[in-house]
Amino acid sequence: MLARIASLSPARLIFRKRDFSSEIFISRLSYYTTDKDLSDAFSAFGTIKSARIIRDPRTNRPKGFGFVNYASEVEAQKAVKAMDGRIFGGRLIFVEFAKRKPPCEGG
């Protein structure tokens, strides 16, 4: 494995490095979960800067996923490790680091 990594060019190694952030993505949430419920459940792992449930813009109903932004990367890692695959609000939820949205091209 090390020989394979050593054979990669430095430019390719940059893309292989995991870019952690302090924002996590929570999927499969109950449609009755509120922003406050999310904040309360995840505040045990650190200082939360924001917690939000994503809603349909037309109906304003929750879409079943949300984001929690922590003050530090370490706190986010603790939350992912502790909450991924747990039951929350009667549903099995999945928690992972939020992926950065690629910049829009064109206009």
Side-chain angles (χ1 to χ4, degrees), residues 101-107:
K101 198 172 185 180
C104 295
E105 294 181 22

Side-chain angles (χ1 to χ4, degrees), residues 1-68:
M1 177 73 175
L2 288 176
R4 194 175 117 211
I5 292 174
S7 68
L8 293 174
S9 70
R12 293 190 88 188
L13 284 174
I14 291 171
F15 292 109
R16 291 176 90 47
K17 181 184 171 203
R18 174 76 169 110
D19 185 25
F20 290 110
S21 74
S22 60
E23 186 170 43
I24 60 174
F25 171 74
I26 303 101
S27 60
R28 299 198 56 189
L29 288 168
S30 164
Y31 295 108
Y32 298 103
T33 303
T34 65
D35 292 343
K36 183 175 177 358
D37 294 336
L38 198 62
S39 180
D40 290 347
F42 283 84
S43 65
F45 308 104
T47 305
I48 293 179
K49 293 198 309 193
S50 67
R52 66 190 189 285
I53 301 290
I54 304 304
R55 298 180 174 277
D56 182 283
R58 188 171 53 86
T59 63
N60 203 32
R61 290 184 180 165
K63 288 188 165 190
F65 63 93
F67 295 90
V68 174

Side-chain angles (χ1 to χ4, degrees), residues 84-98:
D84 187 37
R86 299 292 172 133
I87 302 291
F88 174 68
R91 305 268 316 250
L92 176 69
I93 62 168
F94 296 107
V95 182
E96 61 186 277
F97 285 96

